Each structure stands twice: as structure tokens, then as C-alpha cells.
């Protein structure tokens, strides 16, 4: 829409689909079907793989084949089950036999995916560095907390020792006072 300047209604009309269906797809309330993406690609000369996966060139290169052959070509690439879709696809139309080389588009798509994976790996590395930093901070906080707890334990032990000494002194005093009563 941003590239062509069309409204949802104009796109729906050009693709012969219901505006509400297109709207639900665009608002992620309904998944995009291959059929819907093919209709959009066919109506606006936009590459199916670009619409579906965001890879390759946005503008479709139909060369001189008819729309039916181009749709079949897109379906074969989409299905990715035929060895033909990996190499060269030929189709006949009113202008003669035309050859579409699917390999070049696949290479561009793969290169874009590799670049995306590189960016994702860089982002993963940054997140791992941040995680390690947070773990170090947490470990330092735990170490500081353990240091404070050890200091408190030491104080409690010292106080327990003082109390034990005072009990001995009290016991001794009680024994002394007990003898004096007799």
C-alpha cells in the first residue's frame, strides 16, 4: 500500500477479494493465504516470495509469459517440491517459449536470508553479553549479601560467646550467694 498509494478498498477491488477479508489479513486477525498473496502479486506485479517471505525483489519479473504461467511458477516455488523449481522453468504462451531462471531469484533470496541470519546472530551475541553482565551483577550482589550475612554471623557468634561468659559469671555469683545463705 505504501509503495503504490492504494487504499485497502482499491487493493481488494483489484484482487477481486472482500475488503473485510483483506483488512483482517492486514491486521493479523487472519493468516495470509497463498491464494490471496498470488492475487495481490498478480494484480500489482509484486513478487510472490517478497510478499510471503520478504525476500527477493519486490517487483515481479514476469518477462513475457502469461499471468497463468507466472502464477504456476510462483506456486512451484512456493511448494518447493519440484526439482524444476530449483533450476529452470519453461512455459509456452502466445509469444513463444520463454524461460524463467528461478535459480537467480533463489540465490538473491538465500543471500538476504543469510544477511538476516547474520543480523540475528549479532543480536543474539549482544543479548548473551547483556545476560552475562546481568549474571555478574547478580553474582556481585549475592557475594555482597553473603559478606553481610557472614559479618552478622560473626557478630552473633561473638555475642553468643559474651552471653555464655556472662552466664558462667552469673552461675558463679549464684553459687557464691548460695553459700553465703547457709
Amino acid at each position: 500500500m505504501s509503495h503504490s498509494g492504494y487504499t485497502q478498498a482499491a487493493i481488494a477491488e483489484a484482487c477481486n477479494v472482500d475488503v473485510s477479508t483483506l483488512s483482517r489479513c492486514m491486521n493479523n486477525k487472519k493468516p495470509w493465504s497463498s491464494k490471496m498473496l498470488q492475487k495481490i502479486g498478480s494484480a500489482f506485479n509484486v513478487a510472490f516470495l517478497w510478499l510471503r517471505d520478504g525476500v527477493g525483489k519486490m517487483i515481479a519479473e514476469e518477462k513475457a509469459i502469461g499471468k497463468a504461467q507466472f502464477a504456476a511458477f510462483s506456486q512451484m516455488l512456493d511448494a518447493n517440491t519440484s526439482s524444476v523449481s530449483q533450476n529452470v522453468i519453461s512455459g509456452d504462451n502466445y509469444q513463444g517459449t520463454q524461460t524463467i531462471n528461478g535459480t537467480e531469484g533463489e540465490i538473491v533470496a538465500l543471500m538476504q536470508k543469510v544477511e538476516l541470519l547474520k543480523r540475528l546472530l549479532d543480536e543474539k551475541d549482544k543479548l548473551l553479553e547483556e545476560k552475562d553482565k546481568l549474571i555478574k551483577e547478580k553474582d556481585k550482589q549475592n557475594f555482597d549479601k553473603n559478606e553481610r550475612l557472614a559479618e552478622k554471623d560473626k557478630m552473633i557468634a561473638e555475642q553468643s560467646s559474651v552471653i555464655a561468659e556472662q552466664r558462667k559469671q552469673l552461675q558463679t555469683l549464684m553459687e557464691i550467694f548460695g553459700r553465703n545463705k547457709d
Side-chain angles (χ1 to χ4, degrees), residues 116-127 129:
L116 175 64
L117 288 172
K118 284 180 183 177
R119 287 193 306 266
L120 289 172
L121 285 172
D122 289 343
E123 185 64 26
K124 179 195 80 133
D125 290 342
K126 288 177 187 175
L127 289 171
E129 286 175 17

Side-chain angles (χ1 to χ4, degrees), residues 36-181:
M36 174 76 80
L37 293 175
Q38 286 174 348
K39 285 182 178 185
I40 292 171
S42 179
F44 295 97
N45 196 34
V46 176
F48 176 78
L49 289 175
W50 184 85
L51 284 170
R52 188 189 67 187
D53 302 326
V55 295
K57 294 179 181 177
M58 181 177 122
I59 303 302
E61 293 183 27
E62 290 189 41
K63 306 231 174 167
I65 66 171
K67 289 187 179 190
Q69 286 87 1
F70 187 70
F73 170 69
S74 294
Q75 282 181 323
M76 289 178 77
L77 286 178
D78 183 32
N80 202 19
T81 57
S82 169
S83 60
V84 176
S85 69
Q86 301 295 319
N87 297 308
V88 177
I89 298 174
S90 296
D92 291 324
N93 68 3
Y94 51 87
Q95 294 181 359
T97 302
Q98 299 292 322
T99 301
I100 299 172
N101 188 342
T103 304
E104 184 178 318
E106 298 257 336
I107 291 171
V108 170
L110 287 173
M111 288 172 58
Q112 289 176 339
K113 286 181 180 181
V114 166
E115 287 302 315
L116 175 64
L117 288 172
K118 284 180 183 177
R119 287 193 306 266
L120 289 172
L121 285 172
D122 289 343
E123 185 64 26
K124 179 195 80 133
D125 290 342
K126 288 177 187 175
L127 289 171
L128 286 173
E129 286 175 17
E130 187 176 329
K131 175 187 151 215
D132 290 343
K133 182 181 173 185
L134 290 171
I135 288 171
K136 277 185 176 180
E137 288 175 9
K138 189 69 172 174
D139 287 347
K140 182 175 178 358
Q141 289 173 355
N142 286 339
F143 179 78
D144 292 344
K145 181 180 175 183
N146 289 339
E147 286 285 314
R148 289 191 305 272
L149 287 173
E151 190 63 34
K152 287 180 181 180
D153 286 345
K154 183 179 174 185
M155 288 173 56
I156 289 171
E158 288 172 0
Q159 288 177 353
S160 293
S161 177
V162 168
I163 290 171
E165 185 62 34
Q166 289 177 347
R167 281 189 177 150
K168 284 182 186 177
Q169 290 175 0
L170 181 61
Q171 185 69 30
T172 303
L173 288 173
M174 288 176 68
E175 288 175 6
I176 292 172
F177 284 123
R179 285 186 211 155
N180 288 343
K181 278 185 172 180

